[in-house]
Amino acid sequence: MKKENINLGVIKEVQGSVVVVYFENKLPSIYSKLVCTINKKTNNEKDIIIEVEDHIDSHHIRGVAITATQGLSRGDEVVDTNGPLTIPVGRGVLGRMLNVMGKPIDNEGELENITAWRSIHNSPIPLMERSVKSEIFQTGIKAIDLLTPLERGGKAGLFGGAGCGKTVLITEMINNMFGRYDGVSLFCGVGERSREGEELYTEMKDAGVLDKTTMIFGQMNEPSGVRFRVAQAALTIAEYFRDDLKQDVLLMIDNIFRFVQAGSEVAGLMGRIPSRVGYQSSLGQDLAALQERIASTPSAAITSIQAVYVPADDFTDPSAAETFAHLSATVVLSRKMASQGLYPAVDPLASSSKMLSIDVVGERHYNIAKQVKMTMAQYEDLKDIIAMLGYDELSDEDQATVIKARQLERFLTQPFATTKHFTGMEGKLVDLEQTLIGCEEILSGKYLDINPNAFYMIGDITEAKIDKKEK
């Protein structure tokens, strides 16, 4: 770029992560990337990246720093790059851990085999180019495949409070996909702990599956601008594999609430008036801009599984309520079940999926799932009677319902490969057909004489039959 064509600005204000810049000739576009180089006269030269968020007037912009602002001061010169934030795409990102600007953070050297650098801000694919076929995406996790089947090219949400097992479920799904899933996996950590990122990276490396995974992180300690943009950066990489290489992508986002929280922080820094419960007034728009980019085409699909932290277990919180609208499957994790040691703590009555219809899963699967939910619902109703009068006061039919429900509760638990170092149990991957057979046999009353604990933390139903013989 020739010197006379460079659009230069001067910093007028620095308030935390918010920077006001004066431009004499031309204002940069919204979402433009600005660069301010500090410490030019020393060996500690550093670039501070600013993203334009607002036009204040004909000469001033307000932006949010994507990097730490230490060392930034009024009067510093800023260069307009005439383009947005970009991220590298290509096969070279596989097996690597990146930050929001596409720089490797895994100490494995520079990226190689990069095709291009692309904008993190892209439009969703048009409706006419989307696939309308409904296909099931099997995970190997009994409770999810039976009660809330996921959609290939759809969006599934894992809702739950702190400590209910959202991150464990996501890492287990990544683990289960290898060997049975012909595609690439992309893990996006939005405002999560560095410990979780390090553990996931180590697990993937030890399992030998890192070469088909890309990880991109905007960590909890980083500025809100980073946490707000890292999901868009991940989607740009996912769109490259879907559209250019025609490969299916499994996109894991942990955690959508942190994305909303970062957006709320950015809006607050910009001085925008907050909406309900303090969230940004553009909450719906911010979420839609992200979620609508997750879609499938006739040649490939982006399937997204998103952890959603629920503040104070309140599902009416605007962040959770707004996210519900975009999902094809909702997996609700119950704190009560987690406290009883029933993992995965999937609440069968609160969870749902639009894929659980006769047209998609077939009549047999639909009826079994319906009967499982009905049995669990009847058991919930009977719990009050049991607490007041005792189990022996129930009729024979109700006693059978209680036994079946307790057996189903335990049968839908399963040991995970990613928790082996905690539990000492080998992970079990269960085919959908085996899950259906097991539930079918329990519902038929075949095992009424078996202690429900015989079904706890097993794979398919044959493992409980072994317990029966031993008894």
Side-chain angles (χ1 to χ4, degrees):
M1 189 184 288
K2 293 181 181 179
K3 183 75 175 173
E4 60 268 20
N5 293 332
I6 295 176
N7 188 23
L8 295 177
V10 177
I11 291 177
K12 293 296 182 183
E13 292 179 30
V14 181
Q15 297 178 354
S17 294
V18 177
V19 183
V20 175
V21 185
Y22 171 82
F23 285 88
E24 177 67 35
N25 301 318
K26 187 183 81 169
L27 279 182
S29 304
I30 298 293
Y31 299 147
S32 282
K33 173 185 172 183
L34 311 180
V35 180
C36 178
T37 305
I38 61 172
N39 303 330
K40 291 182 181 179
K41 296 178 182 178
T42 68
N43 293 327
N44 195 26
E45 189 174 291
K46 185 174 76 169
D47 284 343
I48 292 177
I49 310 299
I50 301 162
E51 186 181 60
V52 178
E53 293 289 337
D54 275 342
H55 287 164
I56 301 173
D57 55 36
S58 57
H59 289 288
H60 293 85
I61 65 94
R62 186 182 284 115
V64 171
I66 301 299
T67 49
T69 55
Q70 282 90 346
L72 205 60
S73 60
R74 284 183 294 177
D76 283 348
E77 198 173 66
V78 173
V79 178
D80 174 15
T81 63
N82 291 313
L85 291 169
T86 56
I87 193 85
V89 296
R91 292 199 177 277
V93 300
L94 292 174
R96 303 304 300 271
M97 185 188 285
L98 313 174
N99 64 14
V100 71
M101 287 169 289
K103 294 181 180 177
I105 52 175
D106 53 8
N107 296 321
E108 294 290 334
E110 293 299 313
L111 295 176
E112 298 175 0
N113 197 15
I114 295 303
T115 304
W117 286 75
R118 293 189 179 172
S119 166
I120 68 169
H121 300 283
N122 292 319
S123 300
I125 56 173
L127 287 172
M128 294 295 290
E129 295 176 20
R130 298 187 181 215
S131 171
V132 294
K133 204 190 307 182
S134 293
E135 293 179 56
I136 295 296
F137 186 88
Q138 286 194 39
T139 64
I141 298 171
K142 292 182 283 189
I144 291 177
D145 288 344
L146 173 71
L147 301 170
T148 60
L150 307 188
E151 178 184 15
R152 177 182 175 269
K155 298 177 274 283
L158 304 179
F159 288 81
C164 289
K166 298 182 298 298
T167 302
V168 171
L169 258 179
I170 277 189
T171 53
E172 184 67 11
M173 285 185 202
I174 292 177
N175 184 77
N176 290 358
M177 289 309 107
F178 295 108
R180 58 183 287 169
Y181 175 69
D182 185 24
V184 298
S185 293
L186 185 55
F187 182 88
C188 175
V190 184
E192 288 302 291
R193 302 164 187 85
S194 55
R195 169 185 59 79
E196 293 173 340
E198 189 275 330
E199 284 175 359
L200 180 64
Y201 180 80
T202 305
E203 284 171 10
M204 297 296 105
K205 198 169 186 178
D206 291 346
V209 294
L210 194 61
D211 60 335
K212 291 182 75 177
T213 308
T214 298
M215 298 180 199
I216 180 164
F217 285 92
Q219 293 171 15
M220 191 175 272
N221 63 315
E222 295 190 85
S224 53
V226 172
R227 289 178 274 121
F228 193 46
R229 292 300 178 217
V230 69
Q232 282 100 329
L235 268 166
T236 298
I237 297 173
E239 287 163 345
Y240 166 78
F241 284 106
R242 180 193 66 192
D243 300 334
D244 292 45
L245 301 187
K246 310 298 182 190
Q247 281 188 285
D248 282 354
V249 182
L250 180 62
L251 173 63
M252 307 288 190
I253 303 178
D254 189 5
N255 186 301
I256 283 292
F257 173 76
R258 306 291 178 203
F259 167 78
V260 172
Q261 197 175 43
S264 179
E265 287 177 37
V266 169
L269 291 168
M270 291 288 106
R272 293 169 188 156
I273 298 171
S275 183
R276 193 157 58 102
V277 199
Y279 289 107
Q280 65 271 41
S281 55
S282 59
L283 170 60
Q285 181 184 341
D286 293 344
L287 259 177
L290 177 73
Q291 300 282 8
E292 288 303 301
R293 290 173 64 183
I294 302 168
S296 60
T297 64
S299 55
I302 298 175
T303 303
S304 175
I305 298 169
Q306 309 167 10
V308 187
Y309 168 69
V310 182
D313 292 346
D314 178 13
F315 284 88
T316 64
D317 186 89
S319 63
E322 196 66 46
T323 307
F324 270 118
H326 295 279
L327 305 175
S328 54
T330 302
V331 181
V332 178
L333 302 179
S334 161
R335 186 175 301 282
K336 187 178 177 183
M337 292 180 70
S339 66
Q340 294 171 350
L342 300 172
Y343 290 106
V346 177
D347 188 332
L349 302 180
S351 303
S352 63
S353 170
K354 73 171 191 178
M355 302 301 285
L356 192 59
S357 68
I358 294 175
D359 295 337
V360 179
V361 299
E363 194 170 350
R364 177 177 172 233
H365 182 166
Y366 175 79
N367 287 335
I368 291 172
K370 189 178 175 181
Q371 286 179 54
V372 167
K373 288 192 174 191
M374 195 181 299
T375 305
M376 296 290 199
Q378 289 171 344
Y379 177 44
E380 279 298 315
D381 292 340
L382 292 170
K383 279 181 179 177
D384 288 339
I385 299 173
I386 295 170
M388 288 186 291
L389 303 176
Y391 172 77
D392 293 332
E393 296 300 316
L394 298 176
S395 65
D396 291 344
E397 186 181 341
D398 286 345
Q399 286 186 6
T401 299
V402 169
I403 292 170
K404 289 177 191 176
R406 287 174 176 169
Q407 290 175 342
L408 286 168
E409 265 185 347
R410 285 153 181 78
F411 177 63
L412 292 177
T413 63
Q414 128 185 34
F416 284 170
T418 52
T419 58
K420 184 187 173 185
H421 53 294
F422 293 123
T423 63
M425 291 187 281
E426 290 287 341
K428 301 283 175 66
L429 190 69
V430 184
D431 188 70
L432 175 60
E433 179 60 26
Q434 293 301 318
T435 302
L436 293 175
I437 289 171
C439 291
E440 217 168 23
E441 292 184 355
I442 291 171
L443 288 165
S444 70
K446 185 176 180 181
Y447 303 113
L448 287 176
D449 60 332
I450 302 289
N451 188 318
N453 290 330
F455 299 86
Y456 182 66
M457 285 294 170
I458 62 171
D460 59 50
I461 199 72
T462 56
E463 294 177 43
K465 289 176 183 174
I466 293 169
D467 287 342
K468 183 175 180 179
K469 288 172 187 172
E470 289 174 355
K471 187 179 176 184

